[in-house]
Amino acid sequence: MASTALDFKSSPTGVSDSMTTSDRLSYDSTVDVAIKIAARAQDDERVGEAQSRHLRARLDRRLLPLLFCLYTVQFIDKTTLNSSAVLGLLKDANLSTDDFNTLGSAFYIGYLVFQYPQNLALQYFPVGKWITFNLFMWALLLGLHCVCHNFSGLFALRFLLGAAEGCTTAGLMLVTSMFYTRTEIGERIGWTQQCNGLGTIIGGFLAFGAAHVSPASNPNQWQTLYLITCLMTLVVCIAFALAMPDNPTTARFLSAEEKIVAVRRVQENQNGIETKKWKKDQFVECLTDYKTWMWFFWCVVANLQNGLGTEASRVIHLFGFTPIQTTLLNIPMGFSQIIGITLGCYMLRKFPNGRAWIHNLFWIPSIISAFILIFLPYSNKIGHLCAIYVLNGIGGAPCFVMMLSWVTSATAGHTKKLATNGIFLIGYALGQALCTQFWKEKYEPKFVVPWTICLSTYAADIAIATTLWFLLRAENQRRDKLAKEEGSGAADDFVFLDIVDEGGRPVRQRVEKGFLDLTDRQNLAFRYVL
């Protein structure tokens, strides 16, 4: 494998002092996997709008259906426990209310413990193949639920299921950053997250169908539901194995020319495609970056309110509805999520740097809903149901999409990006693991304490997002001012790279710094999305 000599021009906006002209990097380690394509493409004309739009449509047709199926089945699988609670699982496994809450936490404990290993694996192994492997494990674990009839066995399976699903959102963040520009990432993450709502709808109908199975049959109601979700996941696993690429340079559905265009389209991101080497300095930078911990604490706080995802059937059932009615009454929560995320994505398209303000706006319906759930008389079932639907979908879902797209777009350096994603999702798992413990039997049926906790989290998240917006805007302004004072421009966004062409001749090419796997702190040409 050829090595490269980097010639960094003297520039006030150059990389960190640790990178000098004497550095020699190999293609398969410290620089981006797409750097050969990037080097050959530097002298080509810029990607035209029509050409970019055509390739984006091609990517959407091949990638989005796979991501949509992935997220739909993962949400159905994750919430199958919710539906099983009213389909006989509690009785068959001799579970108390506290046992059931702990099973809800077990999934996220596994997710939490394996989040860093999952992100490390996404760096070392081919992304598409690693997600496929986890999908297979995921299907296997779902099927094994059917033979468990005690708390300890179900806890172990829920723990391992969380471990397997730990690569899902991290994989989504990584795949979208490889194939799409920063202005496109937010919408595609949003569209994929809408599949949580679709999963709620499909899962509701599946549970409704399973409720018509005789409780005395073998498999019984809840076992039938788990078998169906197992088979669905296995089908998606096969589709991923056949069609999911690892990155744009290995996408079989793209021609050689289209691969070049795919790489050039995302050059504006200034964060490259993928690097197959873990870098200690980037990991340390991630740990010392205030953005990392603001995103982490946002995610912990935001997910303290998400116990409803596991507890929804129980909360609705306590209104006096039958199990069959309860399964159907879960379905509107899926529609509310789709409506909320659709509105959020539309607003993001109109205001590409408005993530924080869109986020803050969408917490308002949740705040109103929380007040309704706390103060409205419990006898008003319709009012409480509507408040639950609004709080769970129109409020929280689009806010999570805004932050997920922000984390994905505002971090550069492959190791740093994966580490940041991992810490963000550790916050997600920690919040989810804790939140189910608020829904104790002593708070039934009105659950004033959980709703009050939800209300307090909204204020904290609004404060975190607003502060981060002001900090990143100030940093962008500082970089703009520095570039203007020093007279640096587009030419300083490049370095010269010695490569060996197809004929074996040494050639010096100009390459964007974004393909040298620099972090957002090292590369002062990087601008943070807001």
Side-chain angles (χ1 to χ4, degrees), residues 12 36 52 72 97 123 144 154-155 167 181-182 249 260 269 300 328 335 340 355 364 394 418 428 432 445 470:
K36 285 187 176 182
S52 177
T72 300
T97 300
Q123 177 151 32
L144 289 175
L154 288 170
F155 185 94
C167 74
T181 68
R182 289 196 289 183
T249 68
I260 293 175
N269 294 359
V300 172
L328 289 177
F335 285 106
R355 286 169 176 80
I364 295 175
I394 295 179
L418 286 169
Y428 165 81
Q432 291 276 14
F470 279 108

Side-chain angles (χ1 to χ4, degrees), residues 196-227:
N196 288 345
L198 181 61
T200 301
I201 295 167
I202 295 174
F205 282 114
L206 290 176
F208 177 73
H212 288 80
V213 174
S214 171
S217 66
N218 188 17
N220 61 23
Q221 293 175 336
W222 67 268
Q223 290 172 328
T224 299
L225 184 60
Y226 269 107
L227 285 174

Side-chain angles (χ1 to χ4, degrees), residues 236-386:
V236 175
C237 174
I238 294 171
F240 256 73
L242 296 175
M244 188 65 191
D246 297 313
N247 61 58
T249 68
T250 62
R252 294 194 300 270
F253 63 89
L254 296 178
S255 66
E257 293 76 14
E258 287 173 329
K259 289 178 182 178
I260 293 175
V261 176
V263 169
R264 287 165 57 205
R265 282 184 74 249
V266 299
Q267 286 180 355
E268 67 181 66
N269 294 359
Q270 289 291 330
N271 58 10
I273 302 294
E274 185 179 22
T275 307
K276 289 301 183 185
K277 180 178 176 63
W278 185 85
K279 299 182 180 179
K280 181 180 178 180
D281 61 323
Q282 290 195 14
F283 180 70
V284 171
E285 182 178 316
C286 167
L287 297 180
T288 58
D289 193 331
Y290 66 84
K291 301 193 308 298
T292 302
W293 300 109
M294 292 184 76
W295 282 321
F296 169 80
F297 284 115
W298 180 93
C299 212
V300 172
V301 171
N303 284 282
L304 288 177
Q305 64 210 228
N306 269 353
L308 190 61
T310 301
E311 305 289 342
S313 289
R314 177 176 155 224
V315 173
I316 294 172
H317 186 54
L318 286 171
F319 286 133
F321 296 107
T322 66
I324 290 179
Q325 290 171 332
T326 300
T327 60
L328 289 177
L329 287 170
N330 273 296
I331 292 172
M333 285 193 290
F335 285 106
S336 70
Q337 288 184 49
I338 292 173
I339 292 169
I341 294 174
T342 300
L343 288 173
C345 289
Y346 176 78
M347 293 177 69
L348 185 60
R349 177 181 293 184
K350 294 295 183 181
F351 306 101
N353 274 327
R355 286 169 176 80
W357 306 113
I358 297 171
H359 164 277
N360 293 350
L361 179 65
F362 272 97
W363 278 133
I364 295 175
S366 291
I367 292 171
I368 295 172
S369 298
F371 275 111
I372 291 173
L373 289 162
I374 293 170
F375 296 108
L376 187 70
Y378 190 69
S379 58
N380 191 333
K381 297 179 183 179
I382 301 300
H384 276 265
L385 276 174
C386 291

